[in-house]
Amino acid sequence: MQISGSNELVEQILKNDLCVACGACVGLCPYFKVYRGKVAMTFPCDLTQGRCYAYCPKTEVDYDNLSQTFYGKPYQGSALGEYRRIAASRAGDKMISGPFQNGGTVSALMTLALKTGMIDAAVLTDSDGLIPVPRLITKEEEVVQCASAKYVASPTLSCVNKGVEEGYDRIGVVGTPCQMTAVAQMKCNLLDKADFKDPIAFTVGLFCTWALDFRTFVDFLSDRLDLSTICSMDIPPPPAEVLIVKTADKDIEIPLSDIRPLVLKGCSVCPDMTAEWADVSVGAYEGKPGWNTLIIRSEKGEVMVDEAVKEGFLIVDELPALNLAHLIQGADGKKRRARENIEKAAAGNDSERNKQPAVTENWKMSSFQ
Amino acid sequence: MTRIADDHKGTSHLLMGNEAIARGALEAGVSVAAGYPGTPSSEIISTLAKVPKEHNLYVEWSTNEKVAMEVAAAASFAGLRSMCVLKQNGVNVAADFLLHLSGSGTRGGIIIVPCDDPGALSSINEGESRHFARLLEIPLLEPGNFQEAKDMTKWAFELSEEIRNLVMVRSVTRLSHASGNVIFGELPKEAPRAFFKHDGFILDPMEGIVVSVPVSYRHGQQHEKLKKSIEIFETSPFNIYTGPDNPELLIITASVCDLYTREAVHILGLQDRVGVLKLGTTWPLPPKLMEKVMGRTDKILIIEEVIPFLEENVKILASELAPKIGIKTFFGKRDGSLPMAGELNPDLIISVLVKIFSMRYESMPSSYAEKAETYALKAAPARDLTFCPGCPHRASFWSIHNVLKMDNQEGFVCGDIGCYSLATLPTGFMSLKTMHSMGSGTGVASGFGKLDQFGMEQPILSVCGDSTFFHSVMPALVNAVHHKSNITVVVLDNSGTAMTGFQPHPGLKVDARGNEAPNIDIQAVCEAIGAKVKTSDPFDFDGTQKALFDLLEDKEGVKVLILKQICALSPEKKEKKMFEMSVNIEECLGQSCGCNRLCTRIFRCPGLVWDKDNQTARIDEAICTGCGVCANICPSGAIKKEEVA
Ligand SMILES: Cc1cc2nc3c(=O)[nH]c(=O)nc-3n(C[C@H](O)[C@H](O)[C@H](O)COP(=O)(O)OP(=O)(O)OC[C@H]3O[C@@H](n4cnc5c(N)ncnc54)[C@H](O)[C@@H]3O)c2cc1C
Ligand code: SF4
Ligand code: SF4
């Protein structure tokens, strides 16, 4: 796999509007910055290889290498990726309550990880009104402040870079599948640095089908309501097909068909629904509000979940076979759509093809054997 | 520079051309001098501003050239002698008033002194003021050396009174900024009194009202005045012919080109074959003199810089005189002998003469020339045009650039003339995308800001200096506010007209003579016009960038950001370090991923140097002004600042 530098990142990803603003490149150096949900390179850098390019989940990703590193075998391309166990879960009685998106599994695991010292800092996503605000926190009680899902893309991983800069070396990260892909690459020493140390101790991935582009979403909403009145947002599991915007006095339902045009272009070529490179992945529980679907992938993830159950931070139950079937169906569907979109782009005219070189070539080769 | 007011007649002084002009004005008894700073003209006003108080002069740096001309005109109307000083493009600014002034006529002797800049050594144009003389129908005088700079200036006032109209005395960079010996004349003793007569017979030029109407009457009068000037020019001692009675070639030239010409003729030993007519009065040309001189030869070479102004006027006369003097062969710009652009020099003139006379000439052996060139290239380090160390503009454009890039909507900056024009180059991160005349950045931005109805969504910024703000930005700002143009104007307020040497402007508490003066507050002016205003210190990156982001997010109307920080070269700041700077080489990331020499590759303050041997950045203490700004850009905090006690 060819690791290039920032110029290629700009040409292949930013200029093609494939950036999903994960934040992996932001704050690594003085050149990549994010403002109102958009990543920009402020000055040219002439290095031929950079961490920015190596970490970006939208440049060529060597899935075989990741799979070898984390699971000791080549990448299989199965719907849900490698896992040990799939369960239903929610926060236990010992976990303080908060405005959880679903069952609070994510917040509970992060709180416990900080409490036990398994991680020395956590990278989470808070919000200021509609704007997702990446945060680097060190106190357990700060975890619930970041609870609930922000459906707008967030440059959360910029806080991983900040954490490393500040000297944390057991960082916990919660993020979307693209962010988990970037984090996995951050853990791999792709540039073969002699003094490399993996600074990340624990990762929780979120299920994700798409995220919204901050700027277009804000324009869309501000045409319809007063942004300052928004309290939270939710996308109930299918078949609801709506985005619910909760304001102080009422809930506003926006059909997903109106929202889809505001989805990041980079999401349309994303093959991962369940955050395949995280220690554990968490999503909604179809038909059971207040609960999560939990995929335990790594050994570390398993130890953590067991400990959380033991400590009363987590309640785990069985996931019905029908739910699992739906989950696989959903994940497969995302992979299929991504493949179609990539192929469409690749089969398009030459200029179209030139627009997505790294992504199209690579994904055809490695993610969908 | 009080020697300029030295009262000893007949003494010789080494003077800069601009000082010689100032001395000439003093000898003429000038009472009022007004101007707007602009290289190469600025020293004339600043020299006069330093003349001791007992000379009872009134000197001002006016808000702009038009106002300067108006201020000088008032003195003339009141019977005093006065002058207006400006650089070439300043004449354009004053042009509207000038057209009316030459129509109305004047009373006390009044001159306009434009200093042109052939070769644009310190300009962004090669504009010419000479053709204004023809346009305005006023006499044009061009001194050819330092003594003449003084003598012709003095004489210009007399001529103005003779014809009761404005006279132009034109200088160029190489006269204004070079020095030569000047023998002083007498300074006048009488103290003139100002009084404006306005109740005499309405058409009386000295007692009636001063207006350019009725136009055909006054215009006719103006032509009578021109005829009178021509009469005077026929015998002017400033038009000098030297050379044989019947030269093989006649050179007609003026201004500093006379010096170049004489050097070239001398070097080639052509004194016996070439005649030189050096003209001091270049418009309107005196036909009798021209007939006499042109009649001596068949071949005529006209030597002048930039536009073929003299050449065209000579050719018109020559065709009118053809029945008497015969048909001539001309060399000059129109036949390609001399270039239309750039300065001339003796070598260029030598090459033309060599061609006309089919001579062989080598100024230096080519092997020597080659050697000299390679050594010059080797020995002289390559240097960028750059903002000074500690310059607030570098900090301002750092923030502007970063904000526009992060905002990521392809916003851009419209600019104009000032030190900040350098922001078209890497030193200002190439932020300026348009650059034209004074104040034009905001006017152009005002126009861009109305293109939203044609789908333009890019954020639009303009920048201007504090002096420029008063000079010509205010009307553009009013226009933008009135038309709800969505723009952000950044005023780079460095507390002075820095580019031309810290002349005061209306925003400061001091005037040209150093007297206390009421200052006009830029923020209050902008607010009164109806703009939303924020002020920040450009050295405070966070505050400045936040302010700029806030203003850009506001999509309604005109926003102004005043970035206030004194120029690094200002007398207040010079040689005073705020911080002692150093680089901790352990922490410096150098060329590795994570920095890649941000400070020496991008920020590029000359105070920061790249130490190739150690592969780290370093502070050059001799150059660093201790502003402390670079400490805020270093991603690893390796650049340390320590407050100087
Ligand atoms: C953009 C997005 C799309 C999603 N799409 C699906 C989906 O299609 N199907 C599904 O089952 N689940 C989806 N989820 C996951 C789901 O909404 C819940 O986040 C998940 O079920 C965890 O619930 P919880 O109650 O444990 O979370 P909580 O305990 O409330 O914690 C939520 C955590 O998510 C993090 N977070 C919030 N927003 C973001 C963001 N934009 N980027 C990174 N991290 C963030 C916060 O740091 C917080 O720690 C999505 C989440 C996001 C952010
Ligand atoms: S997807 Fe992430 S790493 Fe790639 S360019 Fe965007 S923010 Fe940077
Ligand atoms: S910006 Fe800082 S880290 Fe980068 S080269 Fe300069 S001193 Fe070194």
Side-chain angles (χ1 to χ4, degrees):
Chain A
M1 184 185 103
Q2 173 66 39
I3 295 175
S4 304
S6 57
N7 293 326
E8 290 76 13
L9 185 63
V10 169
E11 286 304 318
Q12 296 169 7
I13 309 304
L14 295 181
K15 284 200 180 158
N16 284 323
D17 211 10
L18 288 174
C19 170
V20 288
C22 72
C25 59
V26 176
L28 281 174
C29 67
Y31 306 111
F32 286 97
K33 299 256 168 78
V34 63
Y35 174 66
R36 298 188 73 232
K38 265 221 168 349
V39 173
M41 189 170 194
T42 52
F43 291 105
C45 167
D46 52 9
L47 296 181
T48 50
Q49 283 205 323
R51 292 171 296 168
C52 52
Y53 191 93
Y55 297 167
C56 176
K58 295 294 156 183
T59 59
E60 195 175 336
V61 176
D62 187 342
Y63 290 102
D64 276 333
N65 179 45
L66 290 185
S67 190
Q68 285 291 356
T69 309
F70 296 111
Y71 301 109
K73 55 175 151 177
Y75 186 61
Q76 307 295 313
S78 62
L80 303 181
E82 292 300 320
Y83 62 88
R84 290 166 175 255
R85 182 146 78 81
I86 297 189
S89 65
R90 68 172 172 83
D93 300 339
K94 282 279 163 56
M95 176 63 195
I96 48 167
S97 62
F100 305 131
Q101 190 63 36
N102 304 126
T105 302
V106 173
S107 296
L109 288 172
M110 276 294 148
T111 306
L112 184 65
L114 274 172
K115 195 181 168 75
T116 61
M118 177 198 198
I119 60 175
D120 57 2
V123 171
L124 302 176
T125 307
D126 200 347
S127 65
D128 174 10
L130 266 189
I131 310 177
V133 180
R135 279 183 68 185
L136 176 73
I137 62 149
T138 52
K139 298 196 188 75
E140 294 156 42
E141 57 274 21
E142 290 172 308
V143 175
V144 282
Q145 293 167 6
C146 300
S148 87
K150 292 87 197 171
Y151 290 101
V152 172
S154 164
T156 303
L157 300 187
S158 60
C159 273
V160 175
N161 297 328
K162 187 170 154 212
V164 172
E165 172 81 30
E166 289 178 15
Y168 295 102
D169 57 3
R170 297 191 313 280
I171 301 172
V173 192
V174 177
T176 52
C178 53
Q179 289 171 331
M180 287 301 115
T181 308
V183 168
Q185 301 193 92
M186 289 176 171
K187 291 164 73 71
C188 282
N189 193 16
L190 292 172
L191 291 179
D192 286 326
K193 292 268 183 227
D195 55 353
F196 177 82
K197 257 187 72 204
D198 176 5
I200 292 147
F202 183 53
T203 56
V204 178
L206 304 172
F207 294 5
C208 176
T209 31
W210 44 252
L212 299 171
D213 175 65
F214 176 78
R215 295 188 183 189
T216 46
F217 186 53
V218 164
D219 290 346
F220 174 89
L221 282 187
S222 51
D223 287 347
R224 288 163 177 79
L225 64 141
D226 177 359
L227 298 184
S228 64
T229 61
I230 297 174
C231 304
S232 70
M233 277 180 289
D234 191 23
I235 301 176
E241 278 292 305
V242 286
L243 171 81
I244 301 171
V245 180
K246 296 177 181 162
T247 67
D249 43 295
K250 57 176 187 284
D251 290 359
I252 299 161
E253 288 193 6
I254 302 173
L256 286 187
S257 53
D258 288 358
I259 297 288
R260 285 217 173 83
L262 315 176
V263 168
L264 289 162
K265 189 177 155 200
C267 294
S268 70
V269 291
C270 171
D272 185 355
M273 191 188 89
T274 58
E276 296 175 29
W277 308 104
D279 287 315
V280 301
S281 301
V282 184
Y285 184 137
E286 194 186 330
K288 201 165 173 188
W291 278 79
N292 290 111
T293 304
L294 171 66
I295 304 181
I296 301 164
R297 300 185 185 278
S298 69
E299 188 186 340
K300 200 188 260 173
E302 183 144 53
V303 171
M304 191 64 213
V305 168
D306 290 347
E307 169 126 357
V309 171
K310 202 176 89 203
E311 294 293 325
F313 273 75
L314 206 62
I315 295 168
V316 173
D317 202 352
E318 248 168 66
L319 188 75
L322 188 62
N323 284 56
L324 181 60
H326 278 175
L327 190 62
I328 291 172
Q329 202 180 14
D332 257 340
K334 191 171 177 187
K335 278 198 164 45
R336 196 191 61 242
R337 284 193 303 276
R339 190 192 309 126
E340 283 166 7
N341 289 334
I342 291 165
E343 276 165 6
K344 223 186 286 167
N349 57 36
D350 274 354
S351 70
E352 214 23 63
R353 188 193 181 88
N354 286 340
K355 274 188 186 162
Q356 310 193 344
V359 178
T360 51
E361 293 310 319
N362 165 59
W363 285 3
K364 259 200 310 201
M365 287 180 330
S366 63
S367 20
F368 314 105
Q369 310 116 325
Chain B
M1 227 142 296
T2 44
R3 68 188 164 134
I4 217 70
D6 188 309
D7 209 6
H8 295 85
K9 186 183 167 191
T11 53
S12 175
H13 299 255
L14 180 67
L15 292 190
M16 210 185 183
N18 279 344
E19 292 172 315
I21 291 170
R23 172 70 192 192
L26 277 184
E27 289 183 10
V30 71
S31 296
V32 170
Y36 185 82
T39 317
S41 72
S42 309
E43 296 82 5
I44 299 173
I45 292 290
S46 40
T47 301
L48 289 170
K50 286 178 207 135
V51 167
K53 297 252 180 333
E54 56 269 24
H55 285 269
N56 195 27
L57 273 185
Y58 175 72
V59 184
E60 75 167 42
W61 285 121
S62 308
T63 306
N64 64 32
E65 293 86 348
K66 176 169 173 282
V67 176
M69 197 63 238
E70 289 156 354
V71 165
S76 166
F77 301 158
L80 303 178
R81 288 188 168 182
S82 64
M83 69 197 293
C84 170
V85 183
L86 27 68
K87 76 179 286 175
Q88 75 272 13
N89 39 305
V91 186
N92 299 321
V93 178
D96 194 17
F97 177 68
L98 281 169
L99 186 65
H100 294 89
L101 180 66
S102 62
S104 76
T106 60
R107 292 180 186 174
I110 176 168
I111 65 171
I112 178 170
V113 185
C115 300
D116 289 7
D117 190 15
L121 301 161
S122 39
S123 310
I124 60 164
N125 64 75
E126 258 192 323
E128 275 259 15
S129 57
R130 288 182 297 169
H131 63 91
F132 271 102
R134 194 162 60 185
L135 184 82
L136 301 168
E137 298 171 310
I138 56 168
L140 168 65
L141 309 183
E142 293 187 73
N145 58 49
F146 307 96
Q147 187 67 43
E148 280 192 357
K150 178 190 81 74
D151 294 344
M152 289 177 81
T153 303
K154 176 166 184 279
W155 174 55
F157 286 95
E158 293 156 22
L159 177 64
S160 167
E161 277 169 16
E162 190 100 22
I163 63 167
R164 297 292 170 209
N165 211 342
L166 182 67
V167 171
M168 178 181 280
V169 180
R170 181 230 188 201
S171 178
V172 293
T173 305
R174 300 296 179 187
L175 181 66
S176 284
H177 279 177
S179 298
N181 279 346
V182 177
I183 296 165
F184 280 11
E186 224 166 336
L187 291 180
K189 297 282 172 283
E190 59 287 4
R193 262 192 72 79
F195 183 76
F196 178 44
K197 274 218 180 79
H198 51 66
D199 49 6
F201 172 54
I202 200 161
L203 293 179
D204 185 319
M206 297 306 285
E207 298 189 351
I209 57 175
V210 187
V211 294
S212 59
V213 287
V215 172
S216 57
Y217 171 75
R218 302 264 190 199
H219 198 184
Q221 293 270 300
Q222 201 183 338
H223 275 271
E224 291 306 314
K225 295 170 178 183
L226 275 180
K227 277 191 198 142
K228 201 165 170 185
S229 315
I230 293 174
E231 274 317 302
I232 296 168
F233 289 175
E234 292 288 5
T235 56
S236 165
F238 298 113
N239 301 326
I240 305 160
Y241 176 79
T242 37
D245 284 348
N246 291 302
E248 290 169 48
L249 176 77
L250 170 67
I251 296 179
I252 303 177
T253 187
S255 189
V256 288
C257 292
D258 176 47
L259 295 173
Y260 306 156
T261 302
R262 282 195 279 153
E263 188 173 335
V265 169
H266 176 81
I267 288 173
L268 295 176
L270 287 172
Q271 292 90 330
D272 296 338
R273 302 171 71 185
V274 173
V276 180
L277 175 63
K278 191 233 65 153
L279 289 171
T281 69
T282 39
W283 201 85
L285 289 173
K288 288 189 199 121
L289 173 75
M290 298 304 289
E291 181 187 334
K292 200 169 85 197
V293 183
M294 288 196 287
R296 294 169 189 263
T297 185
D298 292 331
K299 286 187 200 158
I300 300 175
L301 165 63
I302 294 140
I303 298 180
E304 65 192 311
E305 290 173 318
V306 196
I307 60 170
F309 175 81
L310 186 58
E311 182 175 334
E312 286 170 5
N313 293 327
V314 168
K315 283 178 174 171
I316 291 170
L317 257 187
S319 66
E320 289 168 2
L321 294 169
K324 294 187 194 164
I325 61 171
I327 309 270
K328 307 293 172 192
T329 303
F330 283 99
F331 305 94
K333 289 177 182 287
R334 297 189 57 94
D335 75 329
S337 295
L338 288 166
M340 286 276 189
E343 283 191 294
L344 296 185
N345 55 47
D347 282 340
L348 267 170
I349 296 171
I350 285 173
S351 63
V352 178
L353 290 175
V354 161
K355 232 187 252 157
I356 294 173
F357 284 95
S358 307
M359 298 167 76
R360 289 181 63 83
Y361 173 79
E362 203 178 29
S363 64
M364 57 176 118
S366 54
S367 61
Y368 178 87
E370 256 168 51
K371 237 193 220 163
E373 200 178 309
T374 40
Y375 280 117
L377 284 178
K378 249 195 248 164
R383 271 192 239 274
D384 304 336
L385 277 171
T386 176
F387 288 129
C388 303
C391 176
H393 293 328
R394 179 181 291 101
S396 295
F397 284 108
W398 179 263
S399 285
I400 290 172
H401 174 91
N402 274 290
V403 165
L404 284 180
K405 282 286 173 187
M406 286 166 71
D407 182 60
N408 212 341
Q409 299 183 76
E410 298 186 66
F412 58 92
V413 188
C414 304
D416 57 36
I417 314 171
C419 292
Y420 51 91
S421 300
L422 284 178
T424 47
L425 304 172
T427 190
F429 320 110
M430 301 198 268
S431 307
L432 289 194
K433 303 302 182 187
T434 74
M435 176 175 71
H436 300 86
S437 63
M438 297 273 295
S440 61
T442 303
V444 170
S446 170
F448 273 125
K450 292 311 294 178
L451 302 184
D452 51 348
Q453 94 186 61
F454 305 101
M456 185 156 163
E457 288 175 350
Q458 294 155 281
I460 295 143
L461 264 70
S462 74
V463 290
C464 68
D466 39 346
S467 188
T468 313
F469 178 83
F470 295 108
H471 179 283
S472 46
V473 170
M474 282 167 60
L477 191 63
V478 168
N479 190 69
V481 170
H482 181 64
H483 294 103
K484 298 191 199 156
S485 188
N486 172 20
I487 63 169
T488 303
V489 179
V490 182
V491 183
L492 304 167
D493 182 351
N494 58 5
S495 303
T497 317
M499 192 179 191
T500 49
F502 294 102
Q503 293 79 8
H505 61 64
L508 304 179
K509 291 190 171 127
V510 63
D511 68 13
R513 292 284 253 169
N515 299 322
E516 205 181 302
N519 65 312
I520 290 103
D521 181 36
I522 296 178
Q523 169 149 8
V525 170
C526 295
E527 277 164 357
I529 289 173
K532 294 165 220 168
V533 189
K534 283 182 190 260
T535 301
S536 180
D537 174 357
F539 285 179
D540 168 12
F541 287 150
D542 289 347
T544 298
Q545 292 179 19
K546 167 140 196 350
L548 206 45
F549 276 131
D550 286 351
L551 293 177
L552 283 180
E553 271 195 43
D554 182 343
K555 299 277 188 279
E556 301 285 314
V558 178
K559 286 79 61 179
V560 174
L561 176 62
I562 301 169
L563 294 179
K564 212 171 162 59
Q565 179 64 244
I566 301 182
C567 169
L569 293 181
S570 72
E572 295 95 310
K573 259 196 188 175
K574 221 174 172 178
E575 284 160 31
K576 274 175 234 139
K577 283 193 179 184
M578 278 268 283
F579 299 99
E580 207 52 65
M581 305 301 295
S582 61
V583 174
N584 179 334
I585 57 171
E586 302 296 316
E587 288 173 56
C588 174
L589 299 170
Q591 265 167 314
S592 58
C593 177
C595 180
N596 193 16
R597 298 177 46 201
L598 179 71
C599 59
T600 54
R601 193 176 59 90
I602 303 288
F603 188 69
R604 298 226 312 229
C605 173
L608 290 157
V609 284
W610 177 244
D611 184 338
K612 271 207 189 96
D613 299 336
N614 290 316
Q615 293 284 300
T616 64
R618 190 161 60 67
I619 300 286
D620 185 334
E621 280 99 7
I623 293 176
C624 170
T625 62
C627 72
V629 168
C630 59
N632 302 331
I633 64 147
C634 175
S636 73
I639 305 179
K640 310 288 180 194
K641 60 179 187 186
E642 206 177 302
E643 213 156 325
V644 174

